Amino acid sequence: MGSRCGVDPTTIRQALMHQKTLTELAIGLEKGEFSSVELTQHYLDRATAHASLNSFITVTPDLAISQATAADARRASGDAGPLTGLPLAHKDLFCTEGVRTSCGSKMLDNFISPFDATVVSKLGEAGMVTVGKANMDEFAMGSSNENSFYGAVQNPWATDRVPGGSSGGSAAMVAARLVPAATATDTGGSIRQPASFCGVTGIKPTYGRVSRYGMVAYASSLDQGGVIAATAEDCAMVLGAMSGHDAKDSTSIDRPVEDYRKVLGADIAGLRVGIPKEYFGEGLSNAVGERVLAAAKELEALGAVLVDVSLPNTELAISSYYVVAPAEASSNLSRFDGVRYGHRCEDPKDLEDLYKRSRGEGLGKEVQRRIMVGAYVLSAGYYDAYYLKAQKLRRLIAQDFTQAFEQCDLIVGPVAPTTAFKIGELSDDPVAMYLADVYTLSTNLAGLPGISMPVGLADGLPVGAQLLGPHFSEARLLNVAHQFQQQTDWHQKIPAAFA
Amino acid sequence: MAVDNKTVIDMAHLARIAVSEDDIPKIASQMGKVLEIAEKMAAVDTDHLEPMAHPLDAAQPLRVDDVTEADLREAFQAVAPSVDKGLYLVPKVIE
């Protein structure tokens, strides 16, 4: 009331809620500036208004409003936690009970999950509200989100460009502020690269930090869940709630979870930041290289010490990864057989026909290709030359990092060689797309944590830098990214059409 | 490395994936390009290295052999393509 155009200031404040970070929204809920139902409805309306981005596979308005109502009741009874009532979306490979969990595949287009992934239960228990399921490359195989049965996702910064992948829906919806945060997974860069292409922050924690139970498997020894949000502080909030040991995941690590938010603000003076020369060589676009180095200089201005380090086997990560990942995929995806769930072909003439046609019809080309490559490298006579060799190289790559971390506390480098490319530009040349994963793959092979943060714009497109640290250094990575974001405003930029 | 059409047919059979005959040459060429990347590994001496299966070299944990899960057969079978009396149905496999 009393405003010049006669609009209630509360209405104006609520219309701009999406411009706030998750952390700011948490404060708004706590102060009673708006309810979770109001906040959730606002984001649901935005998801509808910007449906053309194709960042959602499924929007869950009924579930969201019922969870938001419960969150408001919980707050009224004094039982709310820091995340209670905050909306988010889950990448569509986290199983959500009663909701389609498609993995971006025709194979699972009809799959209504009978249970929740541990990540979904944990964030649900924290009171977070699920507004929907995010689009993704089919079974997380891809770096552009073009391999989705539900179609390509548009990058909010330039709708003719890809958002990156495989967590392209998660990154695009956060960038467009259709959600304040989204879960994601990273097998070879699938959190960090789309976060970089979309100008948002994404963290892939140490292998084993976040439970993989109910997270549909692609390459089990590499897959790791994480989160994408606008800021490092927002990521810290969600990551803390989704991490921790889970007896249902035998690769989950039994080790206490640090309070990631508590360490935000720690001084980084004297921190040794390694610059690996292999990450700044041939193939890296100047625009990206300059901005990543400028970010390193910013850290130096905050008191960090820049040191040159070497990761000599970086290129070999591509070879090792594209053997290990398809091998594990060929084994994991054998479960999609048209018998227990998922797509089944019409009128199978026998069991073999049922398997072959169900899989031939239900799985996309890239997924089929990776499964067949995996079958090849695991087959008799080739196992030692390919799979075993790749596992040995993996140790070599891990040793590179161990040696580098004797000279530095974390590593800074580009996430991808370029900014977001055009939809269709690389889709006919899968190998060219594989080569663009060169800076992200080795992190997964070594099981290390990494965070991608926006460090600039080049021709109007976001550029990201990644910080990599030793195992279980999530708190350090989040703090350094947070310190960087206290000095810069790249993380606050919203593409004009979505502001 | 060149992958021939027969290899594609063999792998498609191993993986139980129906591929159309028209697609086979394209798949062969793309598989060949992927395996070309893999072959760069051969130049590296790895004799002294132990293969790495788990990034933290963690051992597989064991638990007590107790029943911990509830019976959710009905919920699980609700999403199955074809079930009868608690059984998953497939085409006849034994004459």
Side-chain angles (χ1 to χ4, degrees), chain A residues 112 114 207 221 250 253 316 318-319 323 338-342 344 348 350-352 354-356 359-360 365 368-369 371-372 375-376 386 388-396 399 430-431 434 445-447 471, chain B residues 1 7-8 11-19 23 27 30-31 33-35 37-42 44 46 49-57 60-61 69 75-76 79-82 88-91 93:
Chain A
I112 308 295
Y207 181 78
S221 76
S250 64
I253 303 291
L316 285 170
I318 305 173
S319 310
V323 170
V339 175
R340 289 156 302 152
Y341 44 77
R344 173 181 283 199
D350 55 28
L351 190 57
E352 185 166 309
L354 184 155
Y355 290 151
K356 286 187 170 175
R359 289 164 66 76
K365 298 287 177 221
Q368 293 186 7
R369 187 161 52 238
I371 291 173
M372 286 192 270
Y376 183 86
Y386 288 104
L388 200 67
K389 185 88 181 178
Q391 294 281 53
K392 288 181 170 183
L393 278 181
R394 193 172 173 184
R395 188 166 300 281
L396 206 57
Q399 286 173 354
V431 171
Y434 292 0
L445 290 166
H471 292 133
Chain B
M1 131 174 194
T7 304
V8 174
M11 290 310 122
H13 174 66
L14 264 182
R16 299 295 188 271
I17 294 173
V19 294
D23 288 342
I27 299 171
Q30 288 180 333
M31 272 184 74
K33 284 183 193 162
V34 177
L35 292 171
I37 303 178
E39 258 144 40
K40 290 185 183 157
M41 299 189 301
V44 187
T46 52
L49 291 165
E50 279 295 307
M52 181 169 143
H54 187 294
L56 301 168
D57 286 321
Q60 195 80 339
E69 293 293 309
F76 291 160
V79 290
S82 179
Y88 293 96
L89 298 189
V90 294
V93 281

Side-chain angles (χ1 to χ4, degrees), chain A residues 58-120:
Chain A
T58 306
V59 182
T60 52
D62 296 344
L63 175 70
I65 293 299
S66 82
Q67 288 178 338
T69 306
D72 285 334
R74 190 168 156 182
R75 187 168 299 280
S77 69
D79 188 28
L83 291 168
T84 304
L86 293 168
L88 96 165
H90 288 293
K91 185 175 181 179
D92 206 18
L93 51 54
F94 285 103
C95 283
T96 38
E97 187 176 345
V99 176
R100 174 171 63 179
T101 299
S102 75
C103 279
S105 181
K106 180 181 176 186
M107 177 59 83
L108 293 179
D109 182 49
N110 61 2
F111 179 67
I112 308 295
S113 176
F115 70 107
D116 275 337
T118 296
V119 161
V120 173

Side-chain angles (χ1 to χ4, degrees), chain A residues 82-263:
Chain A
L83 291 168
T84 304
L86 293 168
L88 96 165
H90 288 293
K91 185 175 181 179
D92 206 18
L93 51 54
F94 285 103
C95 283
T96 38
E97 187 176 345
V99 176
R100 174 171 63 179
T101 299
S102 75
C103 279
S105 181
K106 180 181 176 186
M107 177 59 83
L108 293 179
D109 182 49
N110 61 2
F111 179 67
I112 308 295
S113 176
F115 70 107
D116 275 337
T118 296
V119 161
V120 173
S121 341
K122 283 178 94 107
L123 294 177
E125 282 157 22
M128 291 198 88
V129 172
T130 302
V131 295
K133 305 293 295 286
N135 204 339
M136 56 181 282
D137 279 302
E138 184 177 4
F139 289 105
M141 298 182 196
S143 316
S144 69
N145 215 122
E146 292 167 289
N147 299 333
S148 168
F149 174 63
Y150 302 92
V153 174
Q154 297 177 350
N155 187 318
W157 289 90
T159 50
D160 60 341
R161 290 183 184 264
V162 303
S166 67
S167 310
S170 302
M173 62 175 64
V174 172
R177 304 302 195 258
L178 309 187
V179 285
T183 57
T185 60
D186 193 315
T187 305
S190 284
I191 289 176
R192 291 162 289 154
Q193 184 255 22
S196 167
F197 279 11
C198 291
V200 291
T201 308
I203 183 162
K204 170 228 176 275
T206 306
Y207 181 78
R209 179 73 296 182
V210 168
S211 169
R212 293 187 300 109
Y213 178 77
M215 189 180 112
V216 180
Y218 156 25
S220 304
S221 76
L222 305 166
D223 294 342
Q224 183 59 206
V227 60
I228 294 176
T231 70
E233 191 177 18
D234 294 353
C235 286
M237 271 180 96
V238 181
L239 185 65
M242 65 196 278
S243 297
H245 179 246
D246 181 9
K248 289 174 174 169
D249 170 6
S250 64
T251 57
S252 162
I253 303 291
D254 194 358
R255 175 186 166 119
V257 179
E258 290 162 86
D259 184 343
Y260 298 129
R261 286 185 80 194
K262 209 171 163 184
V263 299

Side-chain angles (χ1 to χ4, degrees), chain B residues 2-3 5 21-22 41 44-45 57 60 62 71 83 90 95:
Chain B
V3 169
N5 290 354
E21 216 149 294
D22 297 345
M41 299 189 301
V44 187
D45 175 13
D57 286 321
Q60 195 80 339
L62 298 175
D71 179 6
V83 287
V90 294
E95 289 305 321

Side-chain angles (χ1 to χ4, degrees), chain A residues 396-454:
Chain A
L396 206 57
I397 289 154
Q399 286 173 354
D400 278 1
F401 281 106
T402 308
Q403 280 159 15
F405 288 132
E406 283 168 9
Q407 297 156 53
C408 64
D409 303 306
L410 61 84
I411 284 169
V412 65
V415 180
T418 63
T419 51
F421 44 88
K422 289 208 161 139
I423 293 174
E425 192 178 330
L426 295 179
S427 52
D428 269 350
D429 189 354
V431 171
M433 211 171 319
Y434 292 0
L435 297 177
D437 297 338
V438 61
Y439 307 128
T440 49
L441 299 175
S442 48
T443 322
N444 298 76
L445 290 166
L448 300 169
I451 188 168
S452 171
M453 59 182 192

